Amino acid sequence: MNKTSLHLAIRALLAQKTRTILTILGVSIGIAVVIAIMAAGKGLNKMVMSQLEVYSPNTMTVEVKIPSTKKTSNENAMGQATGITITTLKERDLEDVQKHPNIDAAYGMVMGQAIVKYQNESKTSLLMGEGYNLQEVEKFELASGRLFTKDEEDSLAQVAVLGYTMKDLLFGEDDPVGKTIYIKGKPFRVVGVAVKRGAVFGMDMDKMVVLPTKTMQKRILGIDYMQQIVAKARNRDEIKQTVSELEEIIRENHDITDPNKDDFAVNTMEEAANMLSNVVDGLTFLLVALVCVSLLVGGVGIMNIMYVSVTERTFEIGLRKAIGAKNRDVLWQFLTEAVLLTLFGGFFGIILGAILALIIYLVAVSYNFVWVYAVPFSSIILAVGFSAVIGLIFGIYPAKKAANLNPIEALRKE
Amino acid sequence: MTLIEAKDLCKEYVNEEVKTPVLHDLNFKIEEGEFVAIMGPSGSGKSTLMHILSFLDKISCGKYLFKGKDVSEFNDDQLAQMRSKEVGFIFQAFNLLPRTTVLENVMLPLLYDGVSNNNIRIYKAKQALINVGLDHRLNYFTNQLSGGEKQRVAIARALVNDPSVIFADEPTGNLDSKSGLQVMKILQSLNEEGKTIILVTHERYTAEHAKRILRIKDGVIESDEKVVNRQFAQTSNELIK
Ligand SMILES: Nc1ncnc2c1ncn2[C@@H]1O[C@H](COP(=O)(O)OP(=O)(O)OP(=O)(O)O)[C@@H](O)[C@H]1O
Ligand SMILES: [Mg+2]
């Protein structure tokens, strides 16, 4: 591509402004969508990963599961959702987990739902039974008041920490600390209010009430088992080892010999994070692949325009060749036009894509998602590279056609 | 010096297995500085011959020597190079680029002749336009010109590369007699300055402005003789120097 073909190409494109603009528009929309989707993928990734931020990568969980199913399987999820309750995870397991040398701290967790009342207000709320040592295991900050103590948990004290939204719903502007609420008709003293936490895995962490696990087991649910043990490992490098050791300990506690019949599963946060990250990346990749089809359509648009242009300008090409233009001069002239079209398309596509990504970001943020606005450099490379290649590939046939025209015949077509 | 030499030159068009023989075993020479008119009835092969001599088309058999060099086997690029360096064209239909100014049209051949400096291109194109008396129309678009003016732009374009030979295929065919005379006068004065000119026409009167007439009929040379009573284009035109 030299100065002359550049000059000629620009003039030719300017001579057909509407057509040029429409072609560029077609290309830039394709590129914009690729960039926007990749940026949205980044945002989505950030959102998903931020959900895990409450847990450190050292976090491990022991969850109950239906024997002979995989922990991520449908059977397990459906079974538990439709009422199969595993009742084997007990205080003894928690104590054994806590005793493991690589475990820093651990607590048992139970979940439930109940109507919570304060004076005339009553709300259905998620109840979480969590340990007094919750803050040693995961990030949990209080906006006011305090968490319950070990003594309170051991003595089955009826104390509660409110999620931020629950506090708003029940108390409005008033300070709830020290007030009494009623859960399932039983009085609970509010000792603290959690900070705003947002949603984790679709669960609104602010619309809940946290009770000591033991209190919840005995006073609310009347059970002696738990659904999950949440633990924090000391040393991340030994975590794999710890997982298998814990598995063996709990298996023994549960009198299980065949690992396939486990009624629990030990998971690490790292695994979960990787899995989620893979899912998001896979999804993004799929979308980008789909959108690349639209780039292809843009390319066909370029080819179409170039063919029309060659046909229309047959006379001009013939004349240029008659007065000394070589085949490659003509080839370059038309190829330059095609590449210019895609480059302009790429340029506007990047701008458009960045704007689109910004809009997605603003919408996501307005929905309270933890999102990032990032236009990945790789998306720009991909979009522009792909479109330049397309411009070349789809431009080369019409350009070749022009270059190989017979000047005498071309001159007859005025 | 011999500029053009045809040795048993022949041409046949091949279209989908159908062969149309047009030129048969032509032998002739054209020296530098000549002014030759190629005459003949319609379909006799005048344009075909001119296309071959001006490197727009390839021969089918025989030899075509240009400045002593055999160009019969030249490839597309070499032919383009010859068109760019050695010949200038004037067509019956002017063949100017529309939506383009006079100056730009004349600059066009320089673009493909490797004159990369735009100022030099403009300068040369202006000189050529002064030569045909059109330097007052530099920035007109070609579609704003009269037929005679268009053909003079075409002549300027043919001249701008300072070619060895100028080919004119029926250059007066689309012009009224006055504009036609103007064109012939320019060609004659160019020839006076030493430029070789090859003119295709089917009018005897126009042909007699040349110094030599080559008559073709059915693809063979019928006669080849000097013009005895040569016509000199007289115009009361102030434009031409
Ligand atoms: N591309 C082609 N394919 C086949 N036949 C052709 C082709 N071009 C020209 N011919 C034939 O060759 C013959 C000579 O054509 P040419 O154009 O050289 O004639 P001409 O002497 O210039 O005629 P005119 O005075 O009408 O311009 C004609 O019979 C024409 O039909
Ligand atoms: Mg002809």
Side-chain angles (χ1 to χ4, degrees):
Chain A
M1 201 181 321
N2 55 36
K3 223 172 92 186
T4 305
S5 49
L6 196 66
H7 175 79
L8 291 175
I10 289 173
R11 281 201 54 158
L13 292 178
L14 287 179
Q16 291 286 354
K17 281 196 198 69
T18 317
R19 190 190 287 173
T20 302
I21 289 170
L22 288 178
T23 313
I24 288 176
L25 198 67
V27 175
S28 45
I29 287 174
I31 289 181
V33 175
V34 169
I35 288 177
I37 285 187
M38 285 180 78
K42 273 260 145 97
L44 191 65
N45 201 354
K46 171 79 182 174
M47 180 178 106
V48 171
M49 289 305 136
S50 75
Q51 315 250 302
L52 297 178
E53 263 170 22
V54 274
Y55 307 103
S56 91
N58 287 15
T59 308
M60 307 169 66
T61 60
V62 182
E63 285 170 63
V64 294
K65 79 175 176 72
I66 298 175
S68 308
T69 64
K70 283 218 168 113
K71 66 183 176 203
T72 52
S73 70
N74 254 344
E75 288 151 281
N76 184 35
M78 287 302 290
Q80 297 210 38
T82 52
I84 299 175
T85 315
I86 309 291
T87 59
T88 48
L89 198 64
K90 303 233 167 121
E91 189 65 23
R92 180 177 162 207
D93 297 312
L94 175 61
E95 279 164 15
D96 285 346
V97 170
Q98 278 168 331
K99 268 187 234 149
H100 189 282
N102 194 31
I103 294 297
D104 196 19
Y107 70 88
M109 195 183 86
V110 283
M111 271 191 267
Q113 217 179 30
I115 291 174
V116 179
K117 276 192 191 155
Y118 174 69
Q119 291 175 351
N120 295 326
E121 296 290 341
S122 82
K123 295 281 167 208
T124 305
S125 166
L126 187 67
L127 295 186
M128 296 285 277
E130 292 182 326
Y132 69 93
N133 57 351
L134 177 61
Q135 283 165 317
E136 290 170 42
V137 178
E138 61 190 57
K139 209 168 113 193
F140 186 86
E141 286 168 44
L142 291 160
S144 64
R146 59 170 177 87
L147 197 63
F148 33 82
T149 61
K150 183 172 184 340
D151 286 345
E152 279 171 333
E153 184 172 1
D154 287 344
S155 63
L156 310 183
Q158 300 193 142
V159 287
V161 173
L162 296 184
Y164 200 83
T165 312
M166 274 322 280
K167 177 230 136 191
D168 274 355
L169 289 174
L170 293 175
F171 291 89
E173 293 298 303
D174 296 346
D175 181 10
V177 176
K179 306 269 163 57
T180 303
I181 55 173
Y182 287 85
I183 302 173
K184 273 201 168 170
K186 296 191 168 105
F188 278 73
R189 189 161 48 87
V190 177
V191 293
V193 177
V195 295
K196 227 180 165 74
R197 295 206 284 171
V200 174
F201 302 130
M203 212 156 72
D204 190 344
M205 300 298 272
D206 297 322
K207 217 180 158 186
M208 64 165 61
V209 176
V210 182
L211 313 176
T213 305
K214 285 178 187 164
T215 307
M216 182 148 157
Q217 279 175 326
K218 303 280 155 24
R219 300 258 190 249
I220 303 280
L221 301 171
I223 55 172
D224 63 348
Y225 55 84
M226 49 193 78
Q227 282 141 4
Q228 207 178 76
I229 296 168
V230 184
K232 188 175 162 198
R234 273 180 227 281
N235 188 345
R236 203 161 146 193
D237 300 330
E238 289 169 21
I239 230 165
K240 270 212 157 72
Q241 175 74 23
T242 309
V243 167
S244 51
E245 281 165 15
L246 289 182
E247 278 172 350
E248 268 173 45
I249 293 168
I250 299 171
R251 213 170 277 143
E252 213 182 291
N253 286 351
H254 293 193
D255 286 328
I256 295 168
T257 45
D258 178 3
N260 287 325
K261 300 220 164 110
D262 278 356
D263 56 2
F264 67 93
V266 182
N267 306 313
T268 65
M269 201 40 65
E270 219 170 348
E271 259 174 30
N274 286 343
M275 207 179 73
L276 274 174
S277 182
N278 283 344
V279 169
V280 171
D281 286 353
L283 207 70
T284 310
F285 176 80
L286 189 77
L287 282 173
V288 168
L290 279 177
V291 172
C292 280
V293 174
S294 84
L295 288 183
L296 220 66
V297 174
V300 175
I302 288 178
M303 181 145 85
N304 185 29
I305 288 305
M306 294 311 295
Y307 264 120
V308 172
S309 177
V310 169
T311 310
E312 268 182 3
R313 282 146 68 194
T314 301
F315 164 77
E316 177 199 324
I317 296 163
L319 179 68
R320 286 182 188 279
K321 292 187 80 170
I323 59 175
K326 295 195 174 76
N327 292 0
R328 64 166 168 277
D329 293 326
V330 176
L331 184 82
W332 274 118
Q333 183 186 336
F334 281 85
L335 216 51
T336 307
E337 274 179 42
V339 170
L340 275 186
L341 281 174
T342 41
L343 284 184
F344 278 116
F347 179 73
F348 291 113
I350 291 171
I351 294 176
L352 210 64
I355 293 173
L356 231 85
L358 185 66
I359 292 173
I360 294 173
Y361 165 77
L362 291 176
V363 170
V365 166
S366 79
Y367 276 95
N368 264 332
F369 293 139
V370 184
W371 204 265
V372 279
Y373 177 62
V375 176
F377 192 60
S378 59
S379 73
I380 294 179
I381 297 287
L382 177 84
V384 174
F386 195 73
S387 66
V389 167
I390 285 213
L392 269 174
I393 290 174
F394 287 89
I396 209 152
Y397 289 102
K400 269 222 156 104
K401 187 189 168 196
N404 294 332
L405 280 176
N406 175 329
I408 305 168
E409 273 161 31
L411 276 176
R412 292 207 185 100
K413 303 242 167 66
E414 194 174 7
Chain B
M1 187 184 139
T2 305
L3 191 68
I4 284 172
E5 185 173 2
K7 285 183 176 172
D8 301 327
L9 185 154
C10 74
K11 173 73 186 176
E12 59 181 20
Y13 290 105
V14 185
N15 288 321
E16 292 150 12
E17 313 281 303
V18 183
K19 290 181 181 173
T20 317
V22 179
L23 302 175
H24 310 277
D25 300 330
L26 303 185
N27 284 289
F28 61 89
K29 280 185 186 180
I30 295 173
E31 302 294 322
E32 222 163 80
E34 278 201 86
F35 191 159
V36 183
I38 299 174
M39 273 193 78
S42 184
S44 56
K46 305 183 295 292
S47 295
T48 303
L49 178 60
M50 199 202 89
H51 291 151
I52 284 174
L53 296 183
S54 60
F55 312 105
L56 279 168
D57 209 347
K58 294 176 186 174
I59 62 174
S60 306
C61 57
K63 270 200 171 122
Y64 172 24
L65 305 180
F66 187 88
K67 289 186 174 169
K69 206 163 32 173
D70 187 357
V71 298
S72 319
E73 301 292 319
F74 271 25
N75 63 24
D76 280 0
D77 273 4
Q78 288 170 307
L79 290 176
Q81 173 98 349
M82 293 302 277
R83 291 198 293 271
S84 166
K85 302 252 184 245
E86 302 285 3
V87 306
F89 290 100
I90 302 164
F91 305 89
Q92 176 173 359
F94 320 127
N95 291 353
L96 303 176
L97 284 185
R99 296 183 300 273
T100 310
T101 65
V102 166
L103 188 67
E104 283 171 322
N105 264 279
V106 178
M107 283 163 68
L108 210 53
L110 298 168
L111 201 66
Y112 298 111
D113 195 19
V115 182
S116 53
N117 185 320
N118 200 43
N119 289 333
I120 295 181
R121 286 205 291 253
I122 291 174
Y123 174 79
K124 286 194 168 183
K126 274 186 186 162
Q127 290 302 309
L129 282 162
I130 290 170
N131 259 327
V132 298
L134 271 183
D135 46 322
H136 59 304
R137 292 279 189 268
L138 296 183
N139 295 316
Y140 277 53
F141 285 99
T142 51
N143 41 320
Q144 297 169 323
L145 302 178
S146 73
E149 286 172 327
K150 279 183 190 167
Q151 199 58 301
R152 275 148 62 199
V153 174
I155 295 173
R157 186 179 63 192
L159 280 176
V160 74
N161 268 353
D162 194 21
S164 314
V165 51
I166 288 179
F167 289 93
D169 192 350
E170 307 271 13
T172 60
N174 281 5
L175 301 178
D176 61 61
S177 54
K178 184 171 163 255
S179 309
L181 276 178
Q182 254 181 21
V183 166
M184 290 317 295
K185 177 154 188 181
I186 296 173
L187 290 181
Q188 282 186 326
S189 62
L190 284 171
N191 181 245
E192 289 307 310
E193 289 162 20
K195 196 82 45 209
T196 312
I197 299 192
I198 298 176
L199 167 75
V200 168
T201 181
H202 62 269
E203 292 172 348
R204 217 187 88 190
Y205 174 70
T206 307
E208 283 172 347
H209 286 77
K211 293 175 178 164
R212 171 183 166 195
I213 297 180
L214 207 66
R215 282 177 208 274
I216 304 189
K217 199 179 173 188
D218 298 332
V220 296
I221 297 175
E222 200 183 35
S223 70
D224 180 358
E225 37 195 40
K226 274 197 132 170
V227 178
V228 191
N229 285 318
R230 195 171 176 216
Q231 303 282 346
F232 288 95
Q234 303 286 334
T235 57
S236 53
N237 204 308
E238 67 294 335
L239 296 172
I240 298 144
K241 295 172 199 167

